[in-house]
């Protein structure tokens, strides 16, 4: 197929489409009505498991051991006195009420409520020849000062109770276990419902002049995530309005402005409708897809609409203008959307279900855009009333002129070398910083939410008040049934715990053997000289038996003992150091008896995620660049074109990495797709612009002035494209979800800087590479 | 005290590796001339040549919890602990080797005392008793009491009498370097966790539920006392006879009259007056220096 043929083919396809505009429009309307009904079936699903890298070995261990220790299903409520300490009658009356309220909350496992007011919180006291004990709550408690004082004394005798009181005695903790099944209805627990109940019946009730509360746990976390997701959805209308304004400024025609927006909305309705009919749901990341579909759809639609407006000046007529616009832009438009599709397709390489779903739905959405933008949109333009004559200078044209870029291929070689040299220099300066971007993230608290989110504030407050931990890695030590009666196994675990405690990244190690040692001293009247593991297996049984499985330190047959490592933070370097430390310990272990299985805790998920992101990074980036390069070579039949388009793209990717380093944003399942998608979308500018230069480069006679005018017109569309894309993601910066804000920031950067690279660097490169031939 | 699953919190902030040893659970200290030598969990032996400001780890074979240490002179020292182990150093605590292990290694040793460089006695659980008269070249195990009560501590009074304290109000005395032992009518009702001796036949025994007893005639007559706490006393220092100190398991340091000198310092396992006037305190979370000011306000940790 010769170049001429492909141009002819474009024209023929364009003629076919515009010729059947009425049937296409009617089909589209019917299709839209049918699919729109499916949207009502869509639900917002906060399936958090999908953010876990499903196939990582850590996740198998987590799934296998996690449920035995109920790590997920706990809610912590900290009641904090605004003034004074907890041992006042007023505060204690509230704490009792809070305990009762939580006890009767739907979804709460009433056997697993722990508070100063529950009988399972006990103290023991050494007396001559043994010890005695009882609940820390004095018998027949009423909120009077004398009883409060007795409670304070009892708490002092109980390690268990002391952990429920903050170190400064201003706050008390209530721990609540959740049932796996909702007790009322027998189906799976709805975390969002629990979160709503906590907000309504606990937070609201106990936040006033006297006290405030901090609520932690998976359920309140999901609650806040859901709330933020719904806020995000609210930005959608704002986004469309912003796009309309940009389009109008470029096109200066109300009708032509509405067409690209309508076409993208229709594609979106098809996508959501299909998802609804197929029973899929909107996920915390999937909520971004409508924004991306709108941004990409409208920004490409503006290209054809812009060409239509420029052609449709005077007496040529709308159908002919639509045909001309489509003929010229069918190839670059199809290539550009294909690049976007493939950009999203590459993120399927990231082995995390949620990210893959994002890739899949976005890919489907853009495939639908191909239909809407390249078939429906020209048909609608063809039937539109003719707009008034093209304004002399839209803002895009003016901006292009201001940037002084339009005349590039015809411009002086000196200027071109200067531009390319400057771009290369900037890239070289940025490269060392770009290389320092690490996987993972450094924020203290849940990485999905901002540092100042209610949940993360609660997390830090509880951490500070109760010396609790935020970042924990759990190593599951498998020691066989009744292993805690086996001295060798217990001693090995104690050795492992001691070795891990030596790691500078580890703040604290919690393990059954520590409690067993304390209990051995307890069995010997509290003599600290006995604070060691007894060798005898009967004695071991005695020191372990007071420990309940609800402590999370052992399972029912004492075959698995989790070792909890509380770490200083969850930066990738910290996680790596701890894992290396564990490896070193593990390799020095005698074989048999004790098997250390990795891993549990939030660090396990983060470590697995980091692994997946690290493994995917190179394939994702190599694939997207290979695809874009091959597409340019095939589409334009020119190696020069491919180099001129891909080199600026690569430069921008380097700058994006440097920006991530500067802003302390790590590579995560959310930011890595941005690099791929940013490149896939960033290439569009180059494709459209190169299509304008192509006739001149083919040696078709074209005066320098004509070329500059054509290029400026195309650039005006490119700037409008960029502004539209940016409008689609800029509202994300306001999102309460940190990953979305980060993605919005990086995408904005990629869209804007890729645009600048396309209109400045690409033509300059083209000038350098082609001049010597002519 | 028995625990149902809550792991004791011992926050230790990131610190240099050499100082980490000072954060270990330490049970006892002794002076090798001017050097502090403390022993504790996982065979930890910590050395300090600057009164506890800086610490380093001694070279020692891997053992489990070491419970006591004693030096005969500036160079020769012995440490004992769980698994019936006796360690010996002849270079002022810098390096240690295993000198003896009890025939039954499930018996922990709890204290060791040397009188000169040759005569030494170690005591332990279930009436464990082992002696040497050749500086530890040979050790001999024997029984000194009918019961198998745990023997927690041994000390030599200034007149040469040896006194052993133990479980269930056990107090034993020997006036012939340990050849013969006889029971003393104990002034303390519960277990006696420790006994320390000073000049002029001063003896102090202490133990369960805040009870203590002192004697000015090497244990013939006693005067009892009670701290205002139900926690047991597991540490004492009487090197300044005018200001003896008691340390309890609820994290307080006391005067005899029940006046608290420090609070919330963690369970106290050992107290030792330092040459600079401060006090070294060991416990669950390591060794700390304590400044006891002249005021009656409870002192705070020096660091």
């Amino acid at each position: 197929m010769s170049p001429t043929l492909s141009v002819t083919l474009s024209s023929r396809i364009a003629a076919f489409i515009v010729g059947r505009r009425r049937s296409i429009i009617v089909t589209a309307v019917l299709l839209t009505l049918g699919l729109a009904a499916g949207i009502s079936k869509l639900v917002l699903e906060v399936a958090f498991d999908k953010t876990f890298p499903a196939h990582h070995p850590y996740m198998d261990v987590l799934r296998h051991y996690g449920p035995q220790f109920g790590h997920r299903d706990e809610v912590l409520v900290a009641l904090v006195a605004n003034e004074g300490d907890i041992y006042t009658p007023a505060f204690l009356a509230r704490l009792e009420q809070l305990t009762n309220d939580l006890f009767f909350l739907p979804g709460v496992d009433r056997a697993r409520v722990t508070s100063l007011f529950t009988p399972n919180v006990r103290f023991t006291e050494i007396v001559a020849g043994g010890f005695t004990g009882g609940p820390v709550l004095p018998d027949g408690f009423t909120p009077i000062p004398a009883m409060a004082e007795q409670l304070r004394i009892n708490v002092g005798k109980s390690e268990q109770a002391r952990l429920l009181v903050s170190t400064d005695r201003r706050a008390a903790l209530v721990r609540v276990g959740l049932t796996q099944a909702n007790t009322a209805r027998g189906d799976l627990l709805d975390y969002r419902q629990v979160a709503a109940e906590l907000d309504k019946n606990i937070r609201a009730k106990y936040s006033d002049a006297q006290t405030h509360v901090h609520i932690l746990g998976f359920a309140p976390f999901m609650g806040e995530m859901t709330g933020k997701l719904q806020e995000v959805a609210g930005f959608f209308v704002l986004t469309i309005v912003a796009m309309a304004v940009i389009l109008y400024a470029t096109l200066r025609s109300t009708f032509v402005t509405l067409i690209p927006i309508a076409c993208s909305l229709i594609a979106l309705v098809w996508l959501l409708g299909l998802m609804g009919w197929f029973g899929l749901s909107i996920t915390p990341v999937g909520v971004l897809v409508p924004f991306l579909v709108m941004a990409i759809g409208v920004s490409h639609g503006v290209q054809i609409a812009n060409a239509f407006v420029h052609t449709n000046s005077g007496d040529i007529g709308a159908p002919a203008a639509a045909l001309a616009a489509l003929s010229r832009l069918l190839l670059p438009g199809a290539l550009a959307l294909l690049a976007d599709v493939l950009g999203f397709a590459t993120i399927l390489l990231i082995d995390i279900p949620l990210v893959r779903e994002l890739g899949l739905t976005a890919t489907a959405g853009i495939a639908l855009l191909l239909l809407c933008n390249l078939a429906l949109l020209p048909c609608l333009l063809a039937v539109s009333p003719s707009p008034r004559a093209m304004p002399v200078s839209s803002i895009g044209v003016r901006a292009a002129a201001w940037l002084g870029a339009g005349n590039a291929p015809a411009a002086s070689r000196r200027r071109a070398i200067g531009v390319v040299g400057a771009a290369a220099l900037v890239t070289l300066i940025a490269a060392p910083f770009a290389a320092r971007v690490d996987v993972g993230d450094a924020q203290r608290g849940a990485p999905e939410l901002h540092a100042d989110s209610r949940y993360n504030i609660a997390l830090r407050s509880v951490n500070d008040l109760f010396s609790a931990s935020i970042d924990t890695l759990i190593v599951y030590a498998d020691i066989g049934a009744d292993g805690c009666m086996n001295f060798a196994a217990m001693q090995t675990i104690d050795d492992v715990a001691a070795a891990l405690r030596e790691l500078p990244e580890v703040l604290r190690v919690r393990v059954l053997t520590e409690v067993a040692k304390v209990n051995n001293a307890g069995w010997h009247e509290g003599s600290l000289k006995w604070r060691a593991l007894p060798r005898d297996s009967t004695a071991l049984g005695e020191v372990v038996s007071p420990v309940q499985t609800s402590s999370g330190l052992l399972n029912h047959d004492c075959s698995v003992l989790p070792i909890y490592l509380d770490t200083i933070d969850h930066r990738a370097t910290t996680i790596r150091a701890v894992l290396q430390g564990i490896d070193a310990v593990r390799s020095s272990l005698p074989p048999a008896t004790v098997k250390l299985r990795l891993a549990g805790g939030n660090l396990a998920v983060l470590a697995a995620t980091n692994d997946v992101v690290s493994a995917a990074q190179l394939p994702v980036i190599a694939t997207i660049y290979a695809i874009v390069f091959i597409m340019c070579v095939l589409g334009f039949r020119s190696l020069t074109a491919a180099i001129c388009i891909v080199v600026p793209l690569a430069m921008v990717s380097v700058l994006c990495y440097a920006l991530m380093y500067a802003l302390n944003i790590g590579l995560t399942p959310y930011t890595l797709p941005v690099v791929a998608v940013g490149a896939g979308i960033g290439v569009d500018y180059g494709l459209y612009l190169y299509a304008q230069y192509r006739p001149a480069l083919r040696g078709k006679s074209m005066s320098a002035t004509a070329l500059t005018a054509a290029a400026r017109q195309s650039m005006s569309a490119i700037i409008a494209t960029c502004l539209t894309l940016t409008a689609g993601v800029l509202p994300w910066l306001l999102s309460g979800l940190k990953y979305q804000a980060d993605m919005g920031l990086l995408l904005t950067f990629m869209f804007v800087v890729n645009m600048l690279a396309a209109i400045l660097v690409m033509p300059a490169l083209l000038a350098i590479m082609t001049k010597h031939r002519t | 005290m028995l625990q149902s699953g809550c792991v004791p919190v011992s926050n230790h902030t990131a610190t240099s590796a050499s100082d980490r040893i000072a954060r270990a659970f330490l049970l006892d200290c002794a002076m090798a001339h001017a050097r502090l030598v403390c022993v504790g969990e996982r065979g930890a032996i910590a050395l300090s040549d600057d009164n506890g400001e800086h610490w380093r780890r001694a070279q020692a074979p891997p053992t489990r919890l070491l419970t006591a240490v004693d030096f005969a002179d500036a160079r020769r020292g012995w440490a004992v602990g769980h698994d019936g182990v006796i360690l010996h150093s002849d270079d002022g605590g810098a390096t240690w080797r295993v000198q003896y292990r009890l025939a039954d290694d499930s018996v922990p040793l709890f204290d060791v005392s040397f009188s000169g460089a040759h005569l030494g006695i170690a005591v332990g659980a279930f009436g464990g008793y082992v002696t040497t008269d050749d500086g530890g070249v040979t050790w001999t195990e024997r029984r000194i009491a009918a019961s198998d009560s745990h023997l927690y501590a041994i000390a030599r009074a200034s007149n040469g009498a040896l006194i052993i304290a133990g479980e269930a109000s056990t107090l034993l005395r020997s006036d012939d370097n340990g050849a013969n032992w006889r029971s003393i009518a104990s002034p303390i009702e519960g277990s006696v966790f420790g006994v320390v001796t000073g000049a002029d036949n001063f003896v102090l025994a202490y133990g369960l539920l805040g009870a203590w007893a002192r004697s000015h005639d090497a244990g013939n007559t006693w005067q009892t006392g009670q701290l205002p706490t139900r926690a047991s006393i597991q540490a004492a220092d009487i090197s300044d006879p005018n200001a003896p100190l008691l340390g309890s398991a609820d994290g307080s340091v006391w005067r005899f009259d029940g006046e608290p000198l420090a609070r919330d310092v963690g369970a106290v396992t050992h107290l030792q007056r330092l040459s600079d006037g401060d006090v070294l305190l060991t416990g669950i979370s390591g060794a700390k220096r304590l400044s006891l000011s002249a005021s009656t306000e409870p002192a705070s940790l020096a660091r």
Side-chain angles (χ1 to χ4, degrees), chain B residues 217-236:
Chain B
D217 50 15
N220 285 326
T221 58
W222 296 86
Q223 177 198 346
T224 60
Q226 171 68 42
L227 290 183
T229 176
R230 300 281 289 170
S232 62
I233 307 171
Q234 303 200 20

PDB file of all heavy atoms in Angstrom, chain B residues 217-236:
ATOM      1  N   ASP B 217      23.700  -7.094 113.228  1.00  0.00           N
ATOM      2  CA  ASP B 217      24.583  -8.087 113.842  1.00  0.00           C
ATOM      3  C   ASP B 217      24.680  -9.327 112.958  1.00  0.00           C
ATOM      4  O   ASP B 217      24.576 -10.455 113.422  1.00  0.00           O
ATOM      5  CB  ASP B 217      24.081  -8.449 115.241  1.00  0.00           C
ATOM      6  CG  ASP B 217      22.594  -8.808 115.221  1.00  0.00           C
ATOM      7  OD1 ASP B 217      22.050  -9.055 114.113  1.00  0.00           O
ATOM      8  OD2 ASP B 217      21.974  -8.831 116.305  1.00  0.00           O
ATOM      9  N   ALA B 218      24.854  -9.072 111.677  1.00  0.00           N
ATOM     10  CA  ALA B 218      25.063 -10.143 110.698  1.00  0.00           C
ATOM     11  C   ALA B 218      23.947 -11.178 110.711  1.00  0.00           C
ATOM     12  O   ALA B 218      24.189 -12.365 110.491  1.00  0.00           O
ATOM     13  CB  ALA B 218      26.419 -10.803 110.899  1.00  0.00           C
ATOM     14  N   GLY B 219      22.726 -10.738 111.032  1.00  0.00           N
ATOM     15  CA  GLY B 219      21.582 -11.627 110.862  1.00  0.00           C
ATOM     16  C   GLY B 219      21.092 -12.300 112.121  1.00  0.00           C
ATOM     17  O   GLY B 219      20.213 -13.159 112.053  1.00  0.00           O
ATOM     18  N   ASN B 220      21.619 -11.945 113.279  1.00  0.00           N
ATOM     19  CA  ASN B 220      21.108 -12.532 114.513  1.00  0.00           C
ATOM     20  C   ASN B 220      19.758 -11.934 114.881  1.00  0.00           C
ATOM     21  O   ASN B 220      18.804 -12.645 115.186  1.00  0.00           O
ATOM     22  CB  ASN B 220      22.097 -12.327 115.657  1.00  0.00           C
ATOM     23  CG  ASN B 220      23.278 -13.271 115.518  1.00  0.00           C
ATOM     24  OD1 ASN B 220      23.119 -14.396 115.053  1.00  0.00           O
ATOM     25  ND2 ASN B 220      24.456 -12.799 115.884  1.00  0.00           N
ATOM     26  N   THR B 221      19.676 -10.592 114.860  1.00  0.00           N
ATOM     27  CA  THR B 221      18.410  -9.938 115.168  1.00  0.00           C
ATOM     28  C   THR B 221      18.021  -9.058 113.997  1.00  0.00           C
ATOM     29  O   THR B 221      18.882  -8.527 113.286  1.00  0.00           O
ATOM     30  CB  THR B 221      18.540  -9.058 116.425  1.00  0.00           C
ATOM     31  OG1 THR B 221      19.571  -8.094 116.180  1.00  0.00           O
ATOM     32  CG2 THR B 221      18.871  -9.898 117.637  1.00  0.00           C
ATOM     33  N   TRP B 222      16.730  -8.937 113.800  1.00  0.00           N
ATOM     34  CA  TRP B 222      16.235  -8.222 112.626  1.00  0.00           C
ATOM     35  C   TRP B 222      15.220  -7.163 113.022  1.00  0.00           C
ATOM     36  O   TRP B 222      14.503  -7.301 114.002  1.00  0.00           O
ATOM     37  CB  TRP B 222      15.564  -9.195 111.656  1.00  0.00           C
ATOM     38  CG  TRP B 222      16.503 -10.211 111.071  1.00  0.00           C
ATOM     39  CD1 TRP B 222      16.850 -11.403 111.608  1.00  0.00           C
ATOM     40  CD2 TRP B 222      17.210 -10.093 109.843  1.00  0.00           C
ATOM     41  NE1 TRP B 222      17.733 -12.057 110.802  1.00  0.00           N
ATOM     42  CE2 TRP B 222      17.972 -11.274 109.684  1.00  0.00           C
ATOM     43  CE3 TRP B 222      17.274  -9.109 108.848  1.00  0.00           C
ATOM     44  CZ2 TRP B 222      18.789 -11.499 108.588  1.00  0.00           C
ATOM     45  CZ3 TRP B 222      18.068  -9.354 107.755  1.00  0.00           C
ATOM     46  CH2 TRP B 222      18.833 -10.532 107.620  1.00  0.00           C
ATOM     47  N   GLN B 223      15.183  -6.158 112.193  1.00  0.00           N
ATOM     48  CA  GLN B 223      14.152  -5.141 112.335  1.00  0.00           C
ATOM     49  C   GLN B 223      13.432  -5.104 110.980  1.00  0.00           C
ATOM     50  O   GLN B 223      14.070  -4.970 109.938  1.00  0.00           O
ATOM     51  CB  GLN B 223      14.821  -3.793 112.624  1.00  0.00           C
ATOM     52  CG  GLN B 223      13.856  -2.642 112.713  1.00  0.00           C
ATOM     53  CD  GLN B 223      14.576  -1.297 112.551  1.00  0.00           C
ATOM     54  OE1 GLN B 223      15.812  -1.231 112.625  1.00  0.00           O
ATOM     55  NE2 GLN B 223      13.805  -0.253 112.344  1.00  0.00           N
ATOM     56  N   THR B 224      12.109  -5.286 110.986  1.00  0.00           N
ATOM     57  CA  THR B 224      11.402  -5.379 109.708  1.00  0.00           C
ATOM     58  C   THR B 224      10.812  -4.042 109.291  1.00  0.00           C
ATOM     59  O   THR B 224      10.631  -3.134 110.102  1.00  0.00           O
ATOM     60  CB  THR B 224      10.246  -6.398 109.788  1.00  0.00           C
ATOM     61  OG1 THR B 224       9.342  -5.959 110.797  1.00  0.00           O
ATOM     62  CG2 THR B 224      10.768  -7.776 110.132  1.00  0.00           C
ATOM     63  N   GLY B 225      10.533  -3.961 108.027  1.00  0.00           N
ATOM     64  CA  GLY B 225       9.915  -2.751 107.480  1.00  0.00           C
ATOM     65  C   GLY B 225       9.045  -3.107 106.281  1.00  0.00           C
ATOM     66  O   GLY B 225       9.106  -4.224 105.755  1.00  0.00           O
ATOM     67  N   GLN B 226       8.223  -2.163 105.879  1.00  0.00           N
ATOM     68  CA  GLN B 226       7.283  -2.411 104.779  1.00  0.00           C
ATOM     69  C   GLN B 226       7.198  -1.150 103.924  1.00  0.00           C
ATOM     70  O   GLN B 226       6.908  -0.068 104.435  1.00  0.00           O
ATOM     71  CB  GLN B 226       5.905  -2.755 105.358  1.00  0.00           C
ATOM     72  CG  GLN B 226       4.781  -2.823 104.341  1.00  0.00           C
ATOM     73  CD  GLN B 226       4.922  -3.998 103.379  1.00  0.00           C
ATOM     74  OE1 GLN B 226       5.267  -5.104 103.793  1.00  0.00           O
ATOM     75  NE2 GLN B 226       4.700  -3.742 102.099  1.00  0.00           N
ATOM     76  N   LEU B 227       7.445  -1.288 102.627  1.00  0.00           N
ATOM     77  CA  LEU B 227       7.280  -0.142 101.726  1.00  0.00           C
ATOM     78  C   LEU B 227       5.787   0.039 101.435  1.00  0.00           C
ATOM     79  O   LEU B 227       5.025  -0.928 101.475  1.00  0.00           O
ATOM     80  CB  LEU B 227       8.010  -0.387 100.407  1.00  0.00           C
ATOM     81  CG  LEU B 227       9.532  -0.378 100.451  1.00  0.00           C
ATOM     82  CD1 LEU B 227      10.081  -0.571  99.039  1.00  0.00           C
ATOM     83  CD2 LEU B 227      10.051   0.936 101.032  1.00  0.00           C
ATOM     84  N   PRO B 228       5.364   1.271 101.126  1.00  0.00           N
ATOM     85  CA  PRO B 228       3.942   1.488 100.803  1.00  0.00           C
ATOM     86  C   PRO B 228       3.625   1.012  99.387  1.00  0.00           C
ATOM     87  O   PRO B 228       3.109   1.774  98.569  1.00  0.00           O
ATOM     88  CB  PRO B 228       3.786   3.002 100.949  1.00  0.00           C
ATOM     89  CG  PRO B 228       5.139   3.541 100.689  1.00  0.00           C
ATOM     90  CD  PRO B 228       6.125   2.512 101.147  1.00  0.00           C
ATOM     91  N   THR B 229       3.965  -0.242  99.067  1.00  0.00           N
ATOM     92  CA  THR B 229       3.626  -0.816  97.763  1.00  0.00           C
ATOM     93  C   THR B 229       3.421  -2.301  97.961  1.00  0.00           C
ATOM     94  O   THR B 229       3.987  -2.902  98.872  1.00  0.00           O
ATOM     95  CB  THR B 229       4.738  -0.568  96.727  1.00  0.00           C
ATOM     96  OG1 THR B 229       4.383  -1.241  95.523  1.00  0.00           O
ATOM     97  CG2 THR B 229       6.091  -1.096  97.194  1.00  0.00           C
ATOM     98  N   ARG B 230       2.593  -2.891  97.067  1.00  0.00           N
ATOM     99  CA  ARG B 230       2.412  -4.338  97.105  1.00  0.00           C
ATOM    100  C   ARG B 230       3.374  -5.011  96.130  1.00  0.00           C
ATOM    101  O   ARG B 230       3.389  -6.234  96.016  1.00  0.00           O
ATOM    102  CB  ARG B 230       0.971  -4.710  96.737  1.00  0.00           C
ATOM    103  CG  ARG B 230      -0.081  -4.133  97.660  1.00  0.00           C
ATOM    104  CD  ARG B 230      -0.198  -4.900  98.946  1.00  0.00           C
ATOM    105  NE  ARG B 230      -0.816  -6.208  98.748  1.00  0.00           N
ATOM    106  CZ  ARG B 230      -0.860  -7.148  99.677  1.00  0.00           C
ATOM    107  NH1 ARG B 230      -0.280  -6.940 100.861  1.00  0.00           N
ATOM    108  NH2 ARG B 230      -1.439  -8.302  99.439  1.00  0.00           N
ATOM    109  N   ALA B 231       4.153  -4.221  95.431  1.00  0.00           N
ATOM    110  CA  ALA B 231       5.122  -4.793  94.505  1.00  0.00           C
ATOM    111  C   ALA B 231       6.299  -5.342  95.295  1.00  0.00           C
ATOM    112  O   ALA B 231       6.597  -4.875  96.396  1.00  0.00           O
ATOM    113  CB  ALA B 231       5.595  -3.728  93.527  1.00  0.00           C
ATOM    114  N   SER B 232       6.963  -6.338  94.711  1.00  0.00           N
ATOM    115  CA  SER B 232       8.089  -6.928  95.430  1.00  0.00           C
ATOM    116  C   SER B 232       9.344  -6.079  95.257  1.00  0.00           C
ATOM    117  O   SER B 232       9.492  -5.353  94.280  1.00  0.00           O
ATOM    118  CB  SER B 232       8.335  -8.352  94.936  1.00  0.00           C
ATOM    119  OG  SER B 232       8.677  -8.312  93.570  1.00  0.00           O
ATOM    120  N   ILE B 233      10.227  -6.174  96.267  1.00  0.00           N
ATOM    121  CA  ILE B 233      11.513  -5.483  96.194  1.00  0.00           C
ATOM    122  C   ILE B 233      12.509  -6.473  95.606  1.00  0.00           C
ATOM    123  O   ILE B 233      12.615  -7.607  96.074  1.00  0.00           O
ATOM    124  CB  ILE B 233      11.981  -5.036  97.589  1.00  0.00           C
ATOM    125  CG1 ILE B 233      10.870  -4.222  98.283  1.00  0.00           C
ATOM    126  CG2 ILE B 233      13.250  -4.213  97.492  1.00  0.00           C
ATOM    127  CD1 ILE B 233      11.190  -3.930  99.736  1.00  0.00           C
ATOM    128  N   GLN B 234      13.186  -6.060  94.543  1.00  0.00           N
ATOM    129  CA  GLN B 234      14.131  -6.979  93.902  1.00  0.00           C
ATOM    130  C   GLN B 234      15.507  -6.352  93.750  1.00  0.00           C
ATOM    131  O   GLN B 234      16.371  -6.907  93.065  1.00  0.00           O
ATOM    132  CB  GLN B 234      13.583  -7.435  92.549  1.00  0.00           C
ATOM    133  CG  GLN B 234      12.215  -8.096  92.700  1.00  0.00           C
ATOM    134  CD  GLN B 234      11.826  -8.981  91.533  1.00  0.00           C
ATOM    135  OE1 GLN B 234      12.651  -9.421  90.775  1.00  0.00           O
ATOM    136  NE2 GLN B 234      10.537  -9.257  91.417  1.00  0.00           N
ATOM    137  N   ALA B 235      15.728  -5.172  94.355  1.00  0.00           N
ATOM    138  CA  ALA B 235      17.042  -4.537  94.246  1.00  0.00           C
ATOM    139  C   ALA B 235      17.258  -3.638  95.464  1.00  0.00           C
ATOM    140  O   ALA B 235      16.304  -3.088  96.013  1.00  0.00           O
ATOM    141  CB  ALA B 235      17.133  -3.697  92.973  1.00  0.00           C
ATOM    142  N   ALA B 236      18.540  -3.529  95.892  1.00  0.00           N
ATOM    143  CA  ALA B 236      18.860  -2.638  97.006  1.00  0.00           C
ATOM    144  C   ALA B 236      20.316  -2.229  96.917  1.00  0.00           C
ATOM    145  O   ALA B 236      21.147  -2.929  96.327  1.00  0.00           O
ATOM    146  CB  ALA B 236      18.585  -3.335  98.338  1.00  0.00           C
TER     147      ALA B 236
END
